[in-house]
Amino acid sequence: MNENIEFLQAFLKNPTKVGSITPSSPELAMKMLEGIEPSAENIVIELGVGTGAITKFLQDIVPDERSYIGIELDPDLVELLRRNFPEMNIVCGNAMEMESIHKRSGLGKAGYIVCCLPFVSLPAEVRNGVLDEVEKFMQLGCEFRTLQYAHGYYLPSAIKFRELMRNRYGKEKKSSLVVKNVPPGYTLTWATK
Ligand SMILES: C[S@@+](CC[C@H](N)C(=O)[O-])C[C@H]1O[C@@H](n2cnc3c(N)ncnc32)[C@H](O)[C@@H]1O
């Protein structure tokens, strides 16, 4: 089935958890991965893998299966991802359990978290739960990258999210606007390494 249709089906099943009606464009995916150099000692953890719009570019820069974990909540999407990306280590799980998923994997330190979770539409307890997990990795030296859509950039929940992150890690590095995406958006990066 076409990736856009799979994605739309996932959105209709769980609108607030998916948060967008189309997968990220190649332009946004490339922006999300700019400067990211995963290795077995600096693995990348992808949160909210969806239909794999970013994973398909990640698989070109991930050197082997010991350098990547993808975490996706929706079991139907996980089945699709495992079929389409047999070389990538995709876990069906909750980003709120990122630390225990990482420990169970036995893989090396996480150097990068590439996060596509829709923080703007997720309930505050999920957002805070995920950010508490992120904090455990940031304490060890890590780079966290996420995206925010331009039309929602000044919504109270988007502002709240940036405030929470700034209080912990200082001002974000914001990309230029990626216009070739529906909807257009920015990437935001915080780093502690
Ligand atoms: C906006 S989509 C992003 C998909 C893809 N990365 C992209 O850029 O097109 C968000 C994804 O996060 C997943 N998700 C939502 N809450 C989650 C959670 N707590 N843990 C793991 N995945 C979650 C959804 O099922 C959905 O596939």
Side-chain angles (χ1 to χ4, degrees):
M1 200 190 295
N2 175 296
E3 183 184 352
N4 288 319
I5 297 176
E6 305 266 14
F7 197 95
L8 184 61
Q9 278 181 346
F11 172 79
L12 293 172
K13 200 168 65 176
N14 264 315
T16 53
K17 286 183 183 150
V18 175
S20 160
I21 57 164
T22 54
S24 296
S25 66
E27 288 76 11
L28 185 57
M30 300 294 272
K31 193 58 99 180
M32 282 293 278
L33 299 180
E34 219 166 71
I36 287 183
E37 294 174 355
S39 67
E41 296 75 41
N42 261 309
I43 76 160
V44 56
I45 302 182
E46 183 183 9
L47 300 180
V49 185
T51 50
I54 293 180
T55 324
K56 67 175 85 131
F57 293 95
L58 256 172
Q59 71 178 351
D60 294 338
I61 61 167
V62 162
D64 55 48
E65 74 279 3
R66 297 198 57 76
S67 310
Y68 170 85
I69 307 173
I71 303 177
E72 170 54 53
L73 193 59
D74 182 333
D76 293 334
L77 289 178
V78 171
E79 202 187 309
L80 171 88
L81 289 162
R82 287 184 178 152
R83 250 196 337 262
N84 291 346
F85 303 99
E87 312 280 300
M88 300 297 267
N89 175 19
I90 311 280
V91 176
C92 187
N94 196 319
M96 290 169 80
E97 286 155 19
M98 179 166 49
E99 189 190 34
S100 63
I101 292 170
H102 176 246
K103 271 200 182 128
R104 268 202 309 276
S105 75
L107 298 184
K109 174 182 175 291
Y112 308 94
I113 298 172
V114 171
C115 177
C116 289
L117 300 180
F119 286 113
V120 169
S121 59
L122 286 177
E125 66 269 20
V126 177
R127 179 196 65 207
N128 293 340
V130 174
L131 293 185
D132 287 348
E133 290 290 291
V134 168
E135 165 66 3
K136 295 174 191 169
F137 291 86
M138 294 297 266
Q139 276 177 8
L140 302 173
C142 185
E143 186 169 315
F144 175 86
R145 185 164 302 163
T146 191
L147 54 89
Q148 283 196 331
Y149 298 125
H151 69 279
Y153 198 75
Y154 292 103
L155 287 175
S157 54
I159 294 171
K160 177 86 187 158
F161 169 78
R162 293 195 297 276
E163 272 172 11
L164 274 168
M165 294 301 283
R166 281 177 192 159
N167 289 340
R168 289 182 183 179
Y169 313 115
K171 183 140 175 60
E172 68 277 5
K173 199 169 151 211
K174 181 180 172 192
S175 74
S176 54
L177 181 66
V178 180
V179 189
K180 283 193 179 168
N181 191 70
V182 181
Y186 303 97
T187 71
L188 305 177
T189 305
W190 287 268
T192 54
K193 63 174 182 176

